[in-house]
Amino acid sequence: MSRAGGMTAARRDSAAGDIPVDTPRLPAREAAESELSKPMYHENDPNFLQRALNQFWDWVAGVFDAAAGAAPGGPAGLVVLVVIVIGLAAALWWRLGTPQRSSRSADALFDSDGPRSAAQHREAAETHAAALRWTAAVQERMRAIVRSLEERALLDPRPGRTADEAAAEAGRTLPEHTARLRAAARSFDDVTYGGRIADQPTYLSLRTLDLELDEAKPLLPGTSRGVTG
């Protein structure tokens, strides 16, 4: 072999050695996945709960961004709308009380332990008052008021009657006490369904009303207000 021929063969061999070896695509991907699946690459990965929280906050951020884009004034306008909604919800809660008001039982005013007389309700109210349990005292005193009106035939006994309904009906025959009857019913509703706590002045107000109603003369049908028959 001539020297020139040997040089040419050597160049071919050198060029052939510089060509990279092609690895098929699928085996290469499988090899990469196998390598990356080793625990050493996942020591600092977030756990399942962290990943779920991250996805949740990403979703919240997406909702907020979408709402901010649709709200007048952008993010600032959205904040104002949220504040307004919270204010309206607070006002409704204060006026209507907890959702228990809308799910009253059939015996909303009276307990389901069986009918008791006005005297029994008064005695229970005084017992609660002596123990400073003003909420229970207010409830029992309001029941005493309504039961007394039923015993005097100023109200027809009717199961399921609410304090508001009793006050409205009693106000027709005792018009001079209408406002105070409605105030007493509101106090009953507030402590029974609105989750509020009664105090001594509230109880004493109902107690005074009960005593006055016991001596009040009803307005008979066909009688003008202020004229007794």
Side-chain angles (χ1 to χ4, degrees), residues 129-140:
L132 305 183
R133 295 189 295 265
W134 302 116
T135 295
V138 165
Q139 293 170 327
E140 287 299 323

Side-chain angles (χ1 to χ4, degrees), residues 1 5 28 32 72-73 75 90 110 113 116 157 168 170 177 187 200 212 223 225:
M1 177 183 297
F110 294 101
D113 298 335
R116 290 188 291 171
H177 297 83
S187 297
Q200 184 180 18
E212 291 181 3
T223 304
R225 181 175 300 186

Side-chain angles (χ1 to χ4, degrees), residues 173 175-176 217-229:
T173 55
E176 294 181 357
K217 294 183 179 180
L219 180 67
L220 300 178
T223 304
S224 300
R225 181 175 300 186
V227 178
T228 58

Side-chain angles (χ1 to χ4, degrees), residues 138-185:
V138 165
Q139 293 170 327
E140 287 299 323
R141 184 58 71 168
M142 184 62 194
R143 290 166 181 147
I145 291 174
V146 176
R147 184 66 77 204
S148 176
L149 294 174
E150 292 177 348
E151 291 173 354
R152 295 173 59 193
L154 299 181
L155 285 178
D156 294 329
R158 178 161 59 84
R161 176 189 278 122
T162 65
D164 291 332
E165 292 170 345
E169 293 172 18
R172 299 188 187 104
T173 55
L174 298 167
E176 294 181 357
H177 297 83
T178 299
R180 295 174 64 193
L181 281 166
R182 290 177 177 173

Side-chain angles (χ1 to χ4, degrees), residues 2-3 7 16 30 61 86 121 131 147 158-159 169 183 192 200 209:
S2 64
R3 184 174 181 179
M7 297 269 310
E30 292 176 349
I86 293 175
H121 284 296
R147 184 66 77 204
R158 178 161 59 84
E169 293 172 18
T192 304
Q200 184 180 18
L209 175 62

